[in-house]
Amino acid sequence: MSSSRPVRLNRRLPPISAAKATNGTHAKVNGHPSASPRTSPCTNDRTVHSRLLSQKLKSPPSARIQNGGVNMVVKGHGAHVTNGQVKPSDVSPDFIKTFLRDNPSVLEKFVINNCRQELVEKWLLHIIKKNQRLDRDSNSDSGKEQSSDRRASLSRWKFSVHSDKRQMLEELTRDIHRKNNKAQVLAELTVCVASGVSADGYNLYLLDETGRELIFFQPPIDTGALKLQKQNIEAGRTVVTYVARTLKPLCLTDITADPRFPDGLGADGTGIRAVLCQPILEPSGNLLAVVELYRNASSPLFQDFDQEIVSSYLIWGAFAVHYAEMYHTMTKQRKLNDFLLKVTKSIFQDIVSMDTVIMKIMNFAQKLVSADRASLFLVDNKTNELYARIFDIGNGVGADAITTDQKEIRFPLDKGVAGYVASSGNTLNIKDAYQDDRFNRDVDTQTGYRTKTLLCMPIYIRGSIIGVVQMVNKLNGTFNKADEEAFETFAIYCGLALHHAKLYDKIRRSEQKYKVALEVLTYHNQCTNSEFAELKSEEIPDVMPDLQMFEFTDYLDNQIDKKPLMSLYMFKDLFGLSRFDISHLIRFTLTVRKNYRRVPYHNWTHGFSVSHSMYAVIKADPSRWSPLEALSMFVAALCHDLDHRGKNNAYMVKSASPLAAIYSTSTMEHHHFNQTVSILQQDGHNIFRFLSSEDYKTVLANIKYCILATDLALFFPNKARLKALVDEEVYSWQSKDHRELLQAIIMTGCDLSASIKPWDIQVKTVKVIFEEFYEQGDEEKVQGRQPIPMMDRDRAHELPGCQVYATRS
């Protein structure tokens, strides 16, 4: 065997010290027998090598040793071999280097069995750096070296931690996160893979939006433009379409002879010898792109490890692209969310008028898609037209809203791009406006502006189109799918903003109408100056003893209404005038009289009668009530049926009265209290103006409680509670709850006090009560409802039975 060619062993080599002479005896080192071949190779190798190095023996120029019948070459450096045994009389490190260089299999076995991976990688990095330094210093022909070292380079790429590979992957990772264009990222990935397998060229094919065609993607070196060429996947006449359809890689050496690809490569295949084509799949298994690598006739064929390298890194790249795309999508969505939040705050915090909202919507829309101009047309359903009072907002992205005094633009709902969008509800993205027949040039004619690109989208609210927003002339190219998606989300907020702006306008107009109506009603519902002057000129009596009797009814016989003067007397007698303004008290009393409607029973006379009964109750035992309680009870009794319409709560609810929509329970009682507050709020009517803030709140709360207590629906449970307290002898005057319960019962008692009046007066009262009842029954019949017998004049004969039933119950 030649000394320059190492022997390749087919089995595990024993350590050097276990080498045998040809006669079968063990080799000896330094006069001692070597270890048995069954001894651990790692221990024997280290021991022998250590001894050899420490003794620094010289070896003969060359020797041949038999190891288990296999010859091993030991060259030079003075190692002596006697009778097949190595006598390390002079073994040096150079001897060991020579031995390992001539017997690489021994070194390989030793490294595999005894060295850690980290250590081997460290050695390889040192080798690579040394080779890189040698390459930089070398002026030789690099092309020949690349061809001859192709397989070694690929082996290093596949089996080692290659510094160039690491740097390449780091750069690719940075590109993936830096670029938000998926096509550009895939192109970078393809360049890296092609470089890794030393391909002479590559083609990248991207799946289009429909998923049925491949788009050839390759940016030329001289320009940054993209060449686009589509291939149908279903036809499958080329290598790439076949791979796209089967989702399996192909490694080909003769493309023209393969009947599966009658059209060969998708691109120019002149001079190509070998092709390696692999799909790039998303984590979900769907096709993302197809990579086509090729080598020319002067290059070797692709091998299995080339395919393994490409497959491994395309899988990694697909995952990286997928998650990078997710990251960019979330980043973009976050920016859009921030933008929409800013829009929402700006629009909804400053809804002053419809025009203000329109200006803000167009300004934000312009910024969102980088448009030069923005227009918003509203739908006029009455005339079937689109109109715009504010047109072409802004002079570029970021500019403030600009409005000019121009007349309103109107055109039919079926005319122009905006009309088509408003009629069909479809979004339009037009690359060249003047090449589209739907474009209405009249708008440009009126405004003097040249429209090139258009993005037009409908604005919905509750399923109906209320307007069309139109973006004009994108600043950097044409409007794309991302612009459409972003603007579609923005259009939802536009709809909400416009809807709320319309509601705000309606509310604002209604509020102004309400103010005008309130002003008119206030004027007509207030006492006149002559009425005020007349009552003020009369002196309030110091004594009216008959008023303290429950059966007092003189106010019914007077031709001149003395009830306001009597009311002033009762107020003065109960509370005095030191804490009250007499002018305010006079106006309040006269206005309360005026706000009782002229209905048969629930009128000013009834209100005065109830207040008189409350006066008699308080006068019977004044010490039982605090001043604020007495004041609240008296005023509540005087005002308890203000603006009564002669109809009960059930009628209001069944007839869908606006009052029933405002107050769901105790409808009329709530209205009576609100009328009381309205009178108190009128100028010159606040009889509580000298009360402290705390007392004022207490009095109003008590008045509300007492007026609501006149609802008979509340009377029966209140009566049951009070009866239980009295029967159990637990009623306490110190309990606020017990006192309020008694006040509620007293209010109802005063409201029904007509039954304690003299018989002739009671008979007259019953007649007017039933007249009011029958009027309500008549109204119910008109509305198609059957009234209860008590309110049906056609069933008056049933009244005695109803009265007997009521008395028994």
Side-chain angles (χ1 to χ4, degrees), residues 614 625-626 629-630 632-633 702 705-706 709 731 736 738-749:
M614 182 61 70
W625 313 103
S626 69
E629 286 177 331
S632 303
M633 293 165 65
N702 288 346
Y705 176 79
C706 291
Y731 181 86
K736 182 176 181 294
H738 292 181
R739 295 172 68 88
E740 288 181 347
L741 183 59
L742 182 58
Q743 291 174 36
I745 297 299
I746 292 175
M747 281 295 300
T748 304

Side-chain angles (χ1 to χ4, degrees), residues 386 411-420 423 438-442:
L386 287 174
F411 53 88
L413 196 60
D414 58 351
K415 187 176 182 180
V417 173
Y420 172 82
S423 303
R438 294 166 296 194
F439 176 63
N440 181 16
R441 304 186 183 188
D442 295 342

Side-chain angles (χ1 to χ4, degrees), residues 579 628-629 631-632 673 677 680 686 688-705 736 740:
R579 298 179 63 190
L628 293 182
E629 286 177 331
L631 179 63
S632 303
F673 170 71
V677 174
L680 288 170
N686 189 0
F688 305 133
R689 59 193 297 250
F690 294 133
L691 296 180
S692 65
S693 176
E694 190 66 28
D695 289 345
Y696 190 94
K697 292 179 181 178
T698 301
V699 169
L700 282 185
N702 288 346
I703 291 175
K704 181 177 182 180
Y705 176 79
K736 182 176 181 294
E740 288 181 347

Side-chain angles (χ1 to χ4, degrees), residues 116-155:
R116 298 188 310 274
Q117 178 181 347
E118 293 83 356
L119 183 60
V120 176
E121 291 179 353
K122 181 178 178 181
W123 293 343
L124 289 173
L125 289 175
H126 287 305
I127 295 173
I128 292 168
K129 291 179 180 179
K130 182 194 71 174
N131 291 338
Q132 289 175 344
R133 288 195 301 269
L134 293 176
D135 291 341
R136 288 194 298 267
D137 297 339
S138 175
N139 295 322
S140 60
D141 188 352
S142 60
K144 294 182 180 179
E145 291 179 359
Q146 180 181 357
S147 176
S148 61
D149 293 341
R150 179 191 298 273
R151 188 177 301 273
S153 174
L154 294 177
S155 298

Side-chain angles (χ1 to χ4, degrees), residues 645-699:
R645 284 88 187 281
K647 308 294 188 297
N648 60 16
N649 288 334
Y651 176 88
M652 291 295 176
V653 173
K654 291 179 181 178
S655 62
S657 166
L659 286 176
I662 299 174
Y663 314 113
S664 58
T665 60
S666 301
T667 302
M668 293 307 301
E669 288 72 24
H670 276 101
H671 179 58
H672 302 327
F673 170 71
N674 283 339
Q675 286 296 107
T676 303
V677 174
S678 297
I679 294 174
L680 288 170
Q681 290 176 342
Q682 293 180 25
D683 187 28
H685 289 72
N686 189 0
I687 59 177
F688 305 133
R689 59 193 297 250
F690 294 133
L691 296 180
S692 65
S693 176
E694 190 66 28
D695 289 345
Y696 190 94
K697 292 179 181 178
T698 301
V699 169

Side-chain angles (χ1 to χ4, degrees), residues 570-637:
M570 290 188 291
F571 193 94
K572 176 183 176 182
D573 187 36
L574 290 174
F575 315 112
L577 298 177
S578 60
R579 298 179 63 190
F580 303 96
D581 188 324
I582 186 61
S583 297
H584 284 236
L585 184 58
I586 292 173
R587 286 193 180 93
F588 177 82
T589 304
L590 291 175
T591 301
V592 166
R593 179 183 68 173
K594 197 167 188 176
N595 277 269
Y596 271 98
R597 297 197 180 194
R598 294 181 179 180
V599 294
Y601 175 67
H602 291 92
N603 48 35
W604 162 240
T605 299
H606 170 68
F608 175 82
S609 176
V610 174
S611 66
H612 167 257
S613 297
M614 182 61 70
Y615 168 76
V617 170
I618 297 173
K619 287 294 290 185
D621 192 357
S623 61
R624 289 290 183 183
W625 313 103
S626 69
L628 293 182
E629 286 177 331
L631 179 63
S632 303
M633 293 165 65
F634 180 78
V635 174

